[in-house]
């Protein structure tokens, strides 16, 4: 979880990721942010987030992103 928070904070230091629960729905993150975050997550966690995983519910919060990472690591 700490690694994920570090990635997010490096991408958007102006966002309080621990508190936000609607990063996509409230348009806090844009498509460029998501591309950057997905790339870093793939490299850091040695997983492959594919197009089918690029759903708002997977990126609305840190918990949702971490849940996706865990799911992909266990596949």
């Amino acid at each position: 979880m700490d690694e994920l928070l570090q990635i997010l904070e490096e991408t958007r230091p102006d966002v309080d990721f621990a508190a936000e629960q609607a990063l996509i729905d409230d348009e806090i993150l844009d498509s460029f942010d998501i591309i950057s975050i997905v790339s870093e997550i793939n490299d850091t966690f040695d997983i492959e987030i594919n197009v089918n995983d690029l759903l708002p519910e997977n990126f609305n919060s840190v918990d949702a992103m971490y849940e996706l990472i865990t799911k992909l690591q266990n596949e």
Side-chain angles (χ1 to χ4, degrees), residues 24 34 38 41-42 47-60 64-65 67-73 75:
I24 305 299
I34 294 298
V38 166
I41 287 173
N42 284 342
I47 59 173
E48 188 64 40
I49 296 174
N50 65 45
V51 174
N52 296 330
D53 297 317
L54 296 177
L55 303 171
E57 58 264 27
N58 288 335
F59 292 92
N60 263 328
M65 287 183 236
E67 192 174 305
L68 175 63
I69 291 166
T70 303
K71 181 187 112 192
L72 292 173
Q73 285 177 325
E75 286 184 349

Side-chain angles (χ1 to χ4, degrees), residues 1-19 23 29 33 36-37 40-41 62 65:
M1 181 71 90
D2 291 339
E3 288 175 300
L4 175 59
L5 279 171
Q6 183 177 350
I7 290 168
L8 297 172
E9 288 166 0
E10 286 173 5
T11 304
R12 289 289 304 275
D14 58 315
V15 176
D16 181 2
F17 287 98
L23 293 165
L29 297 179
D33 295 328
S36 178
I37 290 166
E40 287 295 320
I41 287 173
V62 175
M65 287 183 236

